[in-house]
Amino acid sequence: MRKHHPKNERIKRAYFAYLEEARRKARKSVDQAAADLADFEASTGYRDFAAFHIEQARAYKRKLNEQTNPATGKPLAKATIHSRLMNLKAFFVWLAGQPGCRRIRYSDADYFNPSANDSRIATARRERPAPTIEQVRHAIGAMPAGTDIEKRDRALIAFAILTGMRDDAIASL
């Protein structure tokens, strides 16, 4: 069984350049899009993207809903499924505008949309637990302060709680 389609490889290379240059995506985001495209391509038996049919998208969505996370053994998270489908949708929207792919319509990309309920679950904002001021004060009080480095560590935690800055912003100071 063939592991790639030469025409698809050229199309993907152009798309990844588009993501990096025009859409200004980070390399990590482009790599994730590449992995998602490779997974979709494998599910179609490496058929030509220009021969896309909406049933391929529907079958891929079913496959994702049945897949399990190899690390946990649980079904894939709704956020993971949503992310993969949105990467594929963006690719097919881009592909519909490319010469030589006139058979693909922009509306075909909509078949990669997850259900409205799954989208709400995947994009819901979750509150992250954070320590209270009293807990931070207790932690600072419990820290040793014998050496200069230990004093620095206490001061950094106190600075972070006073300013509310992210750790990356504090590190760049």
Side-chain angles (χ1 to χ4, degrees):
M1 179 181 227
R2 146 172 98 184
K3 295 289 182 192
H4 69 280
H5 190 285
K7 186 177 173 187
N8 287 356
E9 295 302 314
R10 287 188 291 275
I11 290 171
K12 288 191 300 188
R13 178 178 295 206
Y15 179 64
F16 300 148
Y18 165 77
L19 286 179
E20 279 188 39
E21 301 299 326
R23 297 292 308 268
R24 300 183 314 241
K25 296 281 185 178
R27 186 73 209 155
K28 197 171 184 178
S29 298
V30 175
D31 289 345
Q32 186 59 52
D36 296 341
L37 267 172
D39 188 45
F40 173 74
E41 205 176 5
S43 75
T44 65
Y46 300 95
R47 292 180 57 191
D48 186 0
F49 288 139
F52 174 75
H53 189 270
I54 58 173
E55 191 53 43
Q56 291 172 336
R58 296 170 77 194
Y60 184 71
K61 282 171 43 174
R62 284 191 300 273
K63 176 191 165 229
L64 283 179
N65 285 321
E66 295 167 359
Q67 249 183 348
T68 58
N69 183 331
T72 64
K74 295 180 181 177
L76 289 179
K78 300 291 184 194
T80 301
I81 293 171
H82 184 268
S83 173
R84 290 180 182 181
L85 291 174
M86 291 302 100
N87 278 339
L88 290 170
K89 179 180 178 178
F91 171 72
F92 279 95
V93 165
W94 174 84
L95 189 61
Q98 300 304 303
C101 295
R102 294 174 197 233
R103 186 174 171 273
I104 298 174
R105 298 184 312 259
Y106 287 102
S107 61
D108 289 347
D110 290 335
Y111 284 91
F112 286 104
N113 286 333
S115 71
N117 193 39
D118 287 349
S119 282
R120 279 191 294 278
I121 292 169
T123 59
R125 300 279 182 214
R126 288 160 183 83
E127 194 171 313
R128 297 176 121 184
T132 64
I133 296 293
E134 292 78 28
Q135 290 172 328
V136 174
R137 282 185 179 164
H138 177 74
I140 291 172
M143 292 175 73
T147 67
D148 288 341
I149 292 180
E150 292 170 344
K151 289 178 186 175
R152 179 212 56 198
D153 293 344
R154 287 175 58 139
L156 278 173
I157 291 176
F159 180 73
I161 197 67
L162 285 173
T163 62
M165 293 174 71
R166 297 184 329 256
D167 57 351
D168 290 343
I170 291 172
S172 68
L173 288 175

